[in-house]
Amino acid sequence: MPKDADFKLDTFENTVYVDGEKLLDDSGAPVPATGTLYPGGSLRVSIYADNPLTAMKRDIDQRYSGDKVSATLGFRPCLPFRQDINELCEENGMVWSAPLANIGEGSTLTIHCRDKDIVLDLYKLSKEAE
């Protein structure tokens, strides 16, 4: 659905209109006007590492508190026969994603690198993605 669609809440008929037409749920019933409107989609951050080995070990810690997410991501080169094989990605990087509805002010993604940490403001990135 385009982000500039015209939404109208009709509380008398208890339905939502989008660009003049009733909004229907998956079962074909009108969406009630008593709900809350959340942004759709998700924010995806693609991370690439220049890695001479064939596998990366991923360490992800993601916590939600209301509409604030704090995610920490670390990944390091390793050999694919180590015991932590279930935490490997076979590429030189990965994609981290979260629903836009869960990204409020103060949300961050921290990427641990060998020489420094990179902290991304997820709220700012989510507003640019809308």
Side-chain angles (χ1 to χ4, degrees), residues 48-130:
Y48 174 79
D50 189 8
N51 173 25
L53 299 178
T54 59
M56 303 289 289
K57 179 175 186 322
R58 299 173 294 178
D59 294 308
I60 301 172
D61 182 22
Q62 186 166 301
R63 297 179 186 165
Y64 288 97
S65 174
D67 65 348
K68 178 180 173 184
V69 60
S70 300
T72 303
L73 172 69
F75 58 112
R76 58 179 170 78
C78 64
L79 298 173
F81 51 80
R82 290 179 45 107
Q83 291 180 350
D84 48 14
I85 191 76
N86 58 344
E87 290 295 321
L88 297 182
C89 54
E90 295 296 325
E91 305 165 359
N92 286 1
M94 63 171 296
V95 174
W96 176 89
S97 67
L100 285 174
N102 293 341
I103 300 176
E105 286 189 76
S107 295
T108 59
L109 172 63
T110 303
I111 304 168
H112 293 299
C113 301
R114 188 181 321 168
D115 55 345
K116 65 178 178 177
D117 288 349
I118 299 169
V119 180
L120 301 176
D121 182 337
L122 295 175
Y123 182 73
K124 182 179 176 184
L125 288 175
S126 71
K127 290 302 169 197
E128 292 173 4
E130 287 181 359

Side-chain angles (χ1 to χ4, degrees), residues 1-7 18-19:
M1 182 171 306
K3 65 180 179 180
D4 56 352
D6 181 31
F7 286 90
V18 179
D19 293 333

